[in-house]
Every structure is written in structure tokens, then in C-alpha cells.
mmCIF file of all heavy atoms in Angstrom:
data_model
loop_
_atom_site.group_PDB
_atom_site.id
_atom_site.type_symbol
_atom_site.label_atom_id
_atom_site.label_comp_id
_atom_site.label_asym_id
_atom_site.label_seq_id
_atom_site.Cartn_x
_atom_site.Cartn_y
_atom_site.Cartn_z
ATOM 1 N N TRP A 233 -14.666 95.718 38.336
ATOM 2 C CA TRP A 233 -13.976 94.749 37.491
ATOM 3 C C TRP A 233 -14.096 93.218 37.922
ATOM 4 O O TRP A 233 -13.464 92.447 37.565
ATOM 5 C CB TRP A 233 -12.429 94.961 37.341
ATOM 6 C CG TRP A 233 -12.096 96.295 36.706
ATOM 7 C CD1 TRP A 233 -11.799 97.492 37.467
ATOM 8 C CD2 TRP A 233 -11.858 96.734 35.369
ATOM 9 N NE1 TRP A 233 -11.598 98.433 36.484
ATOM 10 C CE2 TRP A 233 -11.646 97.987 35.189
ATOM 11 C CE3 TRP A 233 -12.068 95.943 34.200
ATOM 12 C CZ2 TRP A 233 -11.489 98.695 33.974
ATOM 13 C CZ3 TRP A 233 -11.988 96.504 32.963
ATOM 14 C CH2 TRP A 233 -11.622 97.954 32.857
ATOM 15 N N GLY A 234 -15.239 93.090 38.704
ATOM 16 C CA GLY A 234 -15.480 91.620 39.244
ATOM 17 C C GLY A 234 -15.912 90.732 38.225
ATOM 18 O O GLY A 234 -16.236 90.986 37.030
ATOM 19 N N ARG A 235 -15.943 89.539 38.732
ATOM 20 C CA ARG A 235 -16.343 88.278 37.791
ATOM 21 C C ARG A 235 -17.726 88.216 37.349
ATOM 22 O O ARG A 235 -18.607 88.493 38.309
ATOM 23 C CB ARG A 235 -15.819 86.917 38.351
ATOM 24 C CG ARG A 235 -14.357 86.679 38.369
ATOM 25 C CD ARG A 235 -13.973 85.401 38.918
ATOM 26 N NE ARG A 235 -15.019 84.430 39.298
ATOM 27 C CZ ARG A 235 -15.027 83.762 40.351
ATOM 28 N NH1 ARG A 235 -14.113 84.004 41.315
ATOM 29 N NH2 ARG A 235 -15.978 82.916 40.690
ATOM 30 N N PRO A 236 -18.111 87.948 36.195
ATOM 31 C CA PRO A 236 -19.650 87.796 35.842
ATOM 32 C C PRO A 236 -20.290 86.726 36.432
ATOM 33 O O PRO A 236 -21.586 86.737 36.402
ATOM 34 C CB PRO A 236 -19.466 87.690 34.250
ATOM 35 C CG PRO A 236 -18.107 88.216 33.891
ATOM 36 C CD PRO A 236 -17.229 87.891 35.071
ATOM 37 N N ASP A 237 -19.609 85.698 37.160
ATOM 38 C CA ASP A 237 -20.365 84.705 37.708
ATOM 39 C C ASP A 237 -20.569 84.926 39.195
ATOM 40 O O ASP A 237 -21.078 83.948 39.857
ATOM 41 C CB ASP A 237 -19.595 83.366 37.486
ATOM 42 C CG ASP A 237 -18.180 83.435 38.156
ATOM 43 O OD1 ASP A 237 -17.672 84.535 38.338
ATOM 44 O OD2 ASP A 237 -17.710 82.267 38.550
ATOM 45 N N MET A 238 -20.229 86.002 39.608
ATOM 46 C CA MET A 238 -20.487 86.375 40.993
ATOM 47 C C MET A 238 -21.743 87.139 41.324
ATOM 48 O O MET A 238 -22.207 87.793 40.433
ATOM 49 C CB MET A 238 -19.245 87.164 41.630
ATOM 50 C CG MET A 238 -17.904 86.406 41.565
ATOM 51 S SD MET A 238 -17.905 84.988 42.603
ATOM 52 C CE MET A 238 -17.756 85.629 44.238
ATOM 53 N N ALA A 239 -22.237 87.006 42.584
ATOM 54 C CA ALA A 239 -23.574 87.561 42.882
ATOM 55 C C ALA A 239 -23.761 89.042 42.554
ATOM 56 O O ALA A 239 -24.848 89.343 41.969
ATOM 57 C CB ALA A 239 -24.044 87.243 44.363
ATOM 58 N N CYS A 240 -22.885 89.850 42.878
ATOM 59 C CA CYS A 240 -22.941 91.304 42.619
ATOM 60 C C CYS A 240 -23.228 91.557 41.258
ATOM 61 O O CYS A 240 -24.016 92.443 40.830
ATOM 62 C CB CYS A 240 -21.732 92.057 43.295
ATOM 63 S SG CYS A 240 -21.885 93.754 43.448
ATOM 64 N N PHE A 241 -22.427 90.963 40.332
ATOM 65 C CA PHE A 241 -22.341 91.161 38.959
ATOM 66 C C PHE A 241 -23.727 90.626 38.379
ATOM 67 O O PHE A 241 -24.382 91.306 37.605
ATOM 68 C CB PHE A 241 -21.181 90.488 38.283
ATOM 69 C CG PHE A 241 -20.873 90.996 36.935
ATOM 70 C CD1 PHE A 241 -19.731 91.578 36.613
ATOM 71 C CD2 PHE A 241 -21.765 90.588 35.762
ATOM 72 C CE1 PHE A 241 -19.363 92.024 35.339
ATOM 73 C CE2 PHE A 241 -21.429 90.967 34.556
ATOM 74 C CZ PHE A 241 -20.298 91.630 34.360
ATOM 75 N N ILE A 242 -24.026 89.390 38.785
ATOM 76 C CA ILE A 242 -25.219 88.807 38.193
ATOM 77 C C ILE A 242 -26.580 89.568 38.654
ATOM 78 O O ILE A 242 -27.436 89.714 37.720
ATOM 79 C CB ILE A 242 -25.381 87.289 38.808
ATOM 80 C CG1 ILE A 242 -24.316 86.304 38.307
ATOM 81 C CG2 ILE A 242 -26.679 86.621 38.458
ATOM 82 C CD1 ILE A 242 -24.235 85.020 38.875
ATOM 83 N N PHE A 243 -26.659 89.970 39.811
ATOM 84 C CA PHE A 243 -27.845 90.745 40.256
ATOM 85 C C PHE A 243 -27.981 92.125 39.677
ATOM 86 O O PHE A 243 -29.033 92.513 39.250
ATOM 87 C CB PHE A 243 -27.843 90.807 41.831
ATOM 88 C CG PHE A 243 -28.004 89.603 42.477
ATOM 89 C CD1 PHE A 243 -27.569 89.450 43.884
ATOM 90 C CD2 PHE A 243 -28.514 88.391 41.913
ATOM 91 C CE1 PHE A 243 -27.735 88.366 44.511
ATOM 92 C CE2 PHE A 243 -28.596 87.170 42.525
ATOM 93 C CZ PHE A 243 -28.246 87.173 44.016
ATOM 94 N N THR A 244 -26.840 92.750 39.530
ATOM 95 C CA THR A 244 -26.811 94.144 38.837
ATOM 96 C C THR A 244 -27.155 94.075 37.380
ATOM 97 O O THR A 244 -28.021 94.924 36.970
ATOM 98 C CB THR A 244 -25.444 94.774 39.055
ATOM 99 O OG1 THR A 244 -25.165 94.871 40.337
ATOM 100 C CG2 THR A 244 -25.321 96.136 38.276
ATOM 101 N N LYS A 245 -26.716 93.101 36.749
ATOM 102 C CA LYS A 245 -27.036 92.913 35.251
ATOM 103 C C LYS A 245 -28.536 92.569 35.153
ATOM 104 O O LYS A 245 -29.045 93.148 34.253
ATOM 105 C CB LYS A 245 -26.074 91.745 34.744
ATOM 106 C CG LYS A 245 -26.193 91.640 33.216
ATOM 107 C CD LYS A 245 -25.146 90.584 32.732
ATOM 108 C CE LYS A 245 -25.031 90.391 31.290
ATOM 109 N NZ LYS A 245 -26.297 89.891 30.603
ATOM 110 N N ALA A 246 -28.969 91.607 35.858
ATOM 111 C CA ALA A 246 -30.361 91.222 35.788
ATOM 112 C C ALA A 246 -31.280 92.406 36.095
ATOM 113 O O ALA A 246 -32.321 92.637 35.268
ATOM 114 C CB ALA A 246 -30.662 90.090 36.734
ATOM 115 N N LEU A 247 -31.051 93.103 37.150
ATOM 116 C CA LEU A 247 -31.988 94.298 37.403
ATOM 117 C C LEU A 247 -31.906 95.347 36.304
ATOM 118 O O LEU A 247 -32.976 95.862 35.955
ATOM 119 C CB LEU A 247 -31.417 94.900 38.744
ATOM 120 C CG LEU A 247 -32.313 94.608 39.992
ATOM 121 C CD1 LEU A 247 -32.075 92.986 40.343
ATOM 122 C CD2 LEU A 247 -31.931 95.392 41.184
ATOM 123 N N LEU A 248 -30.746 95.581 35.672
ATOM 124 C CA LEU A 248 -30.791 96.538 34.644
ATOM 125 C C LEU A 248 -31.313 96.128 33.443
ATOM 126 O O LEU A 248 -31.817 96.986 32.563
ATOM 127 C CB LEU A 248 -29.283 96.990 34.264
ATOM 128 C CG LEU A 248 -28.563 97.888 35.467
ATOM 129 C CD1 LEU A 248 -27.116 97.855 35.237
ATOM 130 C CD2 LEU A 248 -29.178 99.194 35.456
ATOM 131 N N GLU A 249 -31.399 94.843 33.163
ATOM 132 C CA GLU A 249 -32.075 94.218 32.063
ATOM 133 C C GLU A 249 -33.602 93.721 32.249
ATOM 134 O O GLU A 249 -34.127 93.078 31.455
ATOM 135 C CB GLU A 249 -31.305 93.055 31.513
ATOM 136 C CG GLU A 249 -29.857 93.402 30.963
ATOM 137 C CD GLU A 249 -28.924 92.254 30.698
ATOM 138 O OE1 GLU A 249 -29.409 91.049 30.824
ATOM 139 O OE2 GLU A 249 -27.926 92.335 30.147
ATOM 140 N N ASP A 250 -34.084 94.107 33.417
ATOM 141 C CA ASP A 250 -35.426 93.774 33.898
ATOM 142 C C ASP A 250 -35.739 92.277 33.795
ATOM 143 O O ASP A 250 -36.640 91.852 33.239
ATOM 144 C CB ASP A 250 -36.455 94.616 33.068
ATOM 145 C CG ASP A 250 -36.493 96.042 33.299
ATOM 146 O OD1 ASP A 250 -36.377 96.419 34.381
ATOM 147 O OD2 ASP A 250 -36.401 96.864 32.271
ATOM 148 N N ARG A 251 -34.767 91.535 34.174
ATOM 149 C CA ARG A 251 -34.880 90.084 34.331
ATOM 150 C C ARG A 251 -34.876 89.583 35.763
ATOM 151 O O ARG A 251 -34.393 90.305 36.635
ATOM 152 C CB ARG A 251 -33.725 89.393 33.630
ATOM 153 C CG ARG A 251 -33.641 89.547 32.129
ATOM 154 C CD ARG A 251 -32.542 88.669 31.516
ATOM 155 N NE ARG A 251 -31.320 89.103 31.993
ATOM 156 C CZ ARG A 251 -30.402 88.521 32.757
ATOM 157 N NH1 ARG A 251 -31.006 87.434 33.438
ATOM 158 N NH2 ARG A 251 -29.191 89.141 33.166
ATOM 159 N N PRO A 252 -35.563 88.523 36.021
ATOM 160 C CA PRO A 252 -35.577 87.987 37.409
ATOM 161 C C PRO A 252 -34.320 87.472 37.841
ATOM 162 O O PRO A 252 -33.491 87.114 37.023
ATOM 163 C CB PRO A 252 -36.602 86.851 37.396
ATOM 164 C CG PRO A 252 -36.823 86.420 35.960
ATOM 165 C CD PRO A 252 -36.426 87.659 35.119
ATOM 166 N N ILE A 253 -34.011 87.325 39.168
ATOM 167 C CA ILE A 253 -32.794 86.785 39.698
ATOM 168 C C ILE A 253 -33.078 85.554 40.472
ATOM 169 O O ILE A 253 -34.151 85.525 41.074
ATOM 170 C CB ILE A 253 -32.015 87.826 40.525
ATOM 171 C CG1 ILE A 253 -32.866 88.209 41.909
ATOM 172 C CG2 ILE A 253 -31.654 89.029 39.839
ATOM 173 C CD1 ILE A 253 -32.204 89.188 42.801
ATOM 174 N N ASP A 254 -32.155 84.599 40.485
ATOM 175 C CA ASP A 254 -32.346 83.325 41.237
ATOM 176 C C ASP A 254 -31.793 83.537 42.593
ATOM 177 O O ASP A 254 -30.548 84.021 42.730
ATOM 178 C CB ASP A 254 -31.568 82.208 40.501
ATOM 179 C CG ASP A 254 -32.203 81.753 39.196
ATOM 180 O OD1 ASP A 254 -33.400 82.069 38.952
ATOM 181 O OD2 ASP A 254 -31.588 81.211 38.214
ATOM 182 N N VAL A 255 -32.525 83.346 43.619
ATOM 183 C CA VAL A 255 -32.157 83.569 45.018
ATOM 184 C C VAL A 255 -32.108 82.165 45.755
ATOM 185 O O VAL A 255 -33.298 81.564 45.941
ATOM 186 C CB VAL A 255 -32.899 84.674 45.674
ATOM 187 C CG1 VAL A 255 -32.547 84.776 47.051
ATOM 188 C CG2 VAL A 255 -33.022 85.937 44.911
ATOM 189 N N TYR A 256 -30.936 81.633 45.949
ATOM 190 C CA TYR A 256 -30.763 80.273 46.448
ATOM 191 C C TYR A 256 -31.170 80.230 47.941
ATOM 192 O O TYR A 256 -31.035 81.106 48.704
ATOM 193 C CB TYR A 256 -29.569 79.624 46.168
ATOM 194 C CG TYR A 256 -29.429 79.303 44.656
ATOM 195 C CD1 TYR A 256 -28.821 80.340 43.802
ATOM 196 C CD2 TYR A 256 -30.066 78.429 43.998
ATOM 197 C CE1 TYR A 256 -28.681 80.147 42.383
ATOM 198 C CE2 TYR A 256 -29.985 78.213 42.599
ATOM 199 C CZ TYR A 256 -29.268 79.062 41.896
ATOM 200 O OH TYR A 256 -29.293 78.938 40.467
ATOM 201 N N ASN A 257 -31.534 79.016 48.466
ATOM 202 C CA ASN A 257 -31.895 78.716 49.834
ATOM 203 C C ASN A 257 -33.031 79.727 50.390
ATOM 204 O O ASN A 257 -33.081 80.029 51.523
ATOM 205 C CB ASN A 257 -30.570 78.838 50.763
ATOM 206 C CG ASN A 257 -30.855 77.988 51.993
ATOM 207 O OD1 ASN A 257 -31.367 77.002 52.034
ATOM 208 N ND2 ASN A 257 -30.244 78.601 53.150
ATOM 209 N N HIS A 258 -33.883 80.120 49.241
ATOM 210 C CA HIS A 258 -34.934 80.983 49.467
ATOM 211 C C HIS A 258 -34.466 82.176 50.213
ATOM 212 O O HIS A 258 -35.282 82.977 50.984
ATOM 213 C CB HIS A 258 -35.968 80.243 50.430
ATOM 214 C CG HIS A 258 -36.489 78.895 49.840
ATOM 215 N ND1 HIS A 258 -37.324 78.911 48.737
ATOM 216 C CD2 HIS A 258 -36.154 77.583 50.086
ATOM 217 C CE1 HIS A 258 -37.579 77.623 48.408
ATOM 218 N NE2 HIS A 258 -36.761 76.919 49.200
ATOM 219 N N GLY A 259 -33.304 82.706 49.955
ATOM 220 C CA GLY A 259 -32.776 83.956 50.552
ATOM 221 C C GLY A 259 -32.216 83.708 51.842
ATOM 222 O O GLY A 259 -31.667 84.809 52.506
ATOM 223 N N GLU A 260 -32.261 82.599 52.442
ATOM 224 C CA GLU A 260 -31.674 82.374 53.883
ATOM 225 C C GLU A 260 -30.280 82.026 53.826
ATOM 226 O O GLU A 260 -29.940 80.977 54.181
ATOM 227 C CB GLU A 260 -32.610 81.328 54.490
ATOM 228 C CG GLU A 260 -33.928 81.672 54.686
ATOM 229 C CD GLU A 260 -34.280 82.765 55.703
ATOM 230 O OE1 GLU A 260 -33.434 82.862 56.695
ATOM 231 O OE2 GLU A 260 -35.037 83.728 55.287
ATOM 232 N N MET A 261 -29.457 83.057 53.372
ATOM 233 C CA MET A 261 -28.059 82.817 53.248
ATOM 234 C C MET A 261 -27.369 84.117 53.893
ATOM 235 O O MET A 261 -27.958 85.175 53.573
ATOM 236 C CB MET A 261 -27.614 82.554 51.798
ATOM 237 C CG MET A 261 -28.200 81.231 51.160
ATOM 238 S SD MET A 261 -27.713 81.076 49.442
ATOM 239 C CE MET A 261 -26.072 80.443 49.647
ATOM 240 N N ARG A 262 -26.131 83.855 54.327
ATOM 241 C CA ARG A 262 -25.314 85.095 54.823
ATOM 242 C C ARG A 262 -23.994 84.785 54.287
ATOM 243 O O ARG A 262 -23.411 83.656 54.261
ATOM 244 C CB ARG A 262 -25.367 85.077 56.287
ATOM 245 C CG ARG A 262 -26.575 85.593 56.964
ATOM 246 C CD ARG A 262 -26.467 85.924 58.353
ATOM 247 N NE ARG A 262 -26.071 84.662 59.177
ATOM 248 C CZ ARG A 262 -25.386 84.597 60.230
ATOM 249 N NH1 ARG A 262 -25.033 85.929 60.846
ATOM 250 N NH2 ARG A 262 -25.125 83.579 60.966
ATOM 251 N N ARG A 263 -23.423 85.795 53.573
ATOM 252 C CA ARG A 263 -22.092 85.680 53.101
ATOM 253 C C ARG A 263 -21.192 86.867 53.665
ATOM 254 O O ARG A 263 -21.609 87.944 53.901
ATOM 255 C CB ARG A 263 -22.136 85.838 51.514
ATOM 256 C CG ARG A 263 -22.678 84.739 50.747
ATOM 257 C CD ARG A 263 -21.721 83.624 50.862
ATOM 258 N NE ARG A 263 -22.083 82.393 50.143
ATOM 259 C CZ ARG A 263 -22.665 81.310 50.661
ATOM 260 N NH1 ARG A 263 -22.944 81.544 52.053
ATOM 261 N NH2 ARG A 263 -23.021 80.417 50.045
ATOM 262 N N ASP A 264 -19.844 86.580 53.862
ATOM 263 C CA ASP A 264 -18.940 87.535 54.327
ATOM 264 C C ASP A 264 -18.411 88.249 53.091
ATOM 265 O O ASP A 264 -17.255 88.118 52.729
ATOM 266 C CB ASP A 264 -17.848 86.802 55.065
ATOM 267 C CG ASP A 264 -17.156 87.720 56.070
ATOM 268 O OD1 ASP A 264 -17.203 88.968 55.862
ATOM 269 O OD2 ASP A 264 -16.442 87.306 57.085
ATOM 270 N N PHE A 265 -19.176 89.097 52.531
ATOM 271 C CA PHE A 265 -18.782 89.886 51.342
ATOM 272 C C PHE A 265 -17.639 90.749 51.725
ATOM 273 O O PHE A 265 -17.699 91.510 52.547
ATOM 274 C CB PHE A 265 -20.038 90.581 50.814
ATOM 275 C CG PHE A 265 -21.088 89.956 50.167
ATOM 276 C CD1 PHE A 265 -22.317 89.643 50.964
ATOM 277 C CD2 PHE A 265 -21.000 89.249 49.045
ATOM 278 C CE1 PHE A 265 -23.251 88.863 50.488
ATOM 279 C CE2 PHE A 265 -22.068 88.603 48.406
ATOM 280 C CZ PHE A 265 -23.300 88.354 49.270
ATOM 281 N N THR A 266 -16.633 90.678 50.807
ATOM 282 C CA THR A 266 -15.327 91.399 51.102
ATOM 283 C C THR A 266 -14.884 92.283 49.878
ATOM 284 O O THR A 266 -14.751 91.773 48.798
ATOM 285 C CB THR A 266 -14.170 90.494 51.500
ATOM 286 O OG1 THR A 266 -14.643 89.530 52.492
ATOM 287 C CG2 THR A 266 -12.960 91.249 51.980
ATOM 288 N N TYR A 267 -14.770 93.604 50.151
ATOM 289 C CA TYR A 267 -14.453 94.390 49.017
ATOM 290 C C TYR A 267 -13.155 94.216 48.448
ATOM 291 O O TYR A 267 -12.080 93.795 49.291
ATOM 292 C CB TYR A 267 -14.701 95.818 49.396
ATOM 293 C CG TYR A 267 -14.724 96.877 48.377
ATOM 294 C CD1 TYR A 267 -15.526 96.928 47.278
ATOM 295 C CD2 TYR A 267 -13.628 97.929 48.340
ATOM 296 C CE1 TYR A 267 -15.511 97.787 46.341
ATOM 297 C CE2 TYR A 267 -13.604 98.766 47.286
ATOM 298 C CZ TYR A 267 -14.412 98.754 46.192
ATOM 299 O OH TYR A 267 -14.431 99.743 45.250
ATOM 300 N N ILE A 268 -12.896 94.388 47.244
ATOM 301 C CA ILE A 268 -11.610 94.072 46.546
ATOM 302 C C ILE A 268 -10.424 94.920 47.100
ATOM 303 O O ILE A 268 -9.375 94.251 47.258
ATOM 304 C CB ILE A 268 -11.694 94.376 44.917
ATOM 305 C CG1 ILE A 268 -10.391 93.894 44.335
ATOM 306 C CG2 ILE A 268 -12.110 95.738 44.668
ATOM 307 C CD1 ILE A 268 -10.017 92.432 44.359
ATOM 308 N N ASP A 269 -10.601 96.031 47.413
ATOM 309 C CA ASP A 269 -9.467 96.848 48.019
ATOM 310 C C ASP A 269 -8.977 96.212 49.307
ATOM 311 O O ASP A 269 -7.705 96.328 49.619
ATOM 312 C CB ASP A 269 -9.831 98.399 48.079
ATOM 313 C CG ASP A 269 -10.059 98.983 46.911
ATOM 314 O OD1 ASP A 269 -9.784 98.445 45.776
ATOM 315 O OD2 ASP A 269 -10.350 100.284 46.998
ATOM 316 N N ASP A 270 -10.005 95.743 50.100
ATOM 317 C CA ASP A 270 -9.447 95.135 51.468
ATOM 318 C C ASP A 270 -8.761 93.813 51.102
ATOM 319 O O ASP A 270 -7.756 93.603 51.928
ATOM 320 C CB ASP A 270 -10.736 94.892 52.318
ATOM 321 C CG ASP A 270 -11.400 96.089 52.743
ATOM 322 O OD1 ASP A 270 -10.637 97.082 53.026
ATOM 323 O OD2 ASP A 270 -12.698 96.088 53.062
ATOM 324 N N ILE A 271 -9.142 93.086 50.122
ATOM 325 C CA ILE A 271 -8.439 91.835 49.807
ATOM 326 C C ILE A 271 -7.051 92.138 49.422
ATOM 327 O O ILE A 271 -6.127 91.556 49.904
ATOM 328 C CB ILE A 271 -9.145 91.024 48.700
ATOM 329 C CG1 ILE A 271 -10.533 90.401 49.191
ATOM 330 C CG2 ILE A 271 -8.298 89.934 48.143
ATOM 331 C CD1 ILE A 271 -10.435 89.241 50.149
ATOM 332 N N VAL A 272 -6.831 93.087 48.562
ATOM 333 C CA VAL A 272 -5.514 93.443 47.947
ATOM 334 C C VAL A 272 -4.601 94.025 49.049
ATOM 335 O O VAL A 272 -3.512 93.628 49.157
ATOM 336 C CB VAL A 272 -5.781 94.428 46.739
ATOM 337 C CG1 VAL A 272 -4.395 94.982 46.403
ATOM 338 C CG2 VAL A 272 -6.310 93.704 45.501
ATOM 339 N N GLU A 273 -5.159 94.832 50.001
ATOM 340 C CA GLU A 273 -4.363 95.355 50.949
ATOM 341 C C GLU A 273 -3.857 94.279 51.999
ATOM 342 O O GLU A 273 -2.757 94.255 52.343
ATOM 343 C CB GLU A 273 -5.230 96.380 51.803
ATOM 344 C CG GLU A 273 -4.491 96.962 52.995
ATOM 345 C CD GLU A 273 -3.243 97.840 52.539
ATOM 346 O OE1 GLU A 273 -3.285 98.399 51.513
ATOM 347 O OE2 GLU A 273 -2.316 98.052 53.361
ATOM 348 N N GLY A 274 -4.714 93.237 52.128
ATOM 349 C CA GLY A 274 -4.306 92.123 52.858
ATOM 350 C C GLY A 274 -3.135 91.350 52.311
ATOM 351 O O GLY A 274 -2.080 90.978 52.944
ATOM 352 N N VAL A 275 -3.318 91.112 50.984
ATOM 353 C CA VAL A 275 -2.274 90.344 50.178
ATOM 354 C C VAL A 275 -0.985 91.252 50.278
ATOM 355 O O VAL A 275 0.048 90.471 50.456
ATOM 356 C CB VAL A 275 -2.675 90.141 48.698
ATOM 357 C CG1 VAL A 275 -1.644 89.448 47.946
ATOM 358 C CG2 VAL A 275 -4.054 89.304 48.736
ATOM 359 N N VAL A 276 -0.894 92.417 50.044
ATOM 360 C CA VAL A 276 0.224 93.173 49.918
ATOM 361 C C VAL A 276 0.965 93.129 51.386
ATOM 362 O O VAL A 276 2.201 93.009 51.350
ATOM 363 C CB VAL A 276 -0.034 94.621 49.590
ATOM 364 C CG1 VAL A 276 1.229 95.598 49.726
ATOM 365 C CG2 VAL A 276 -0.422 94.674 48.152
ATOM 366 N N ARG A 277 0.128 93.352 52.352
ATOM 367 C CA ARG A 277 0.820 93.157 53.708
ATOM 368 C C ARG A 277 1.465 91.883 53.928
ATOM 369 O O ARG A 277 2.595 91.758 54.485
ATOM 370 C CB ARG A 277 -0.161 93.468 54.815
ATOM 371 C CG ARG A 277 -0.735 94.993 54.726
ATOM 372 C CD ARG A 277 -1.344 95.435 55.928
ATOM 373 N NE ARG A 277 -1.925 96.793 56.009
ATOM 374 C CZ ARG A 277 -2.110 97.547 56.960
ATOM 375 N NH1 ARG A 277 -1.780 97.152 58.182
ATOM 376 N NH2 ARG A 277 -2.604 98.732 56.785
#
């Protein structure tokens, strides 16, 4: 149920539609990707 403007959604949609994806900083990026269930558990606590 993630947002369409986020990387996971954008990349998945593009691959399924056989379109290229834009990869910024030539791929030299690191992100602390956090799964939604972990976020929600933290908020509830």
C-alpha cells in the first residue's frame, strides 16, 4: 500500500512495464529502508 512516488513502487512499476528506471547519483546512494510494520510497531509503542 506504499506511495507511488517512492523508490520501491517506482522501480517495481517500471520493471513490470519494461521501462527504464532513473537511478540518481549514478547508484552511489545508501538508504535506511524501513518496512512499514516496523514503523507502525514503533509508533504504537
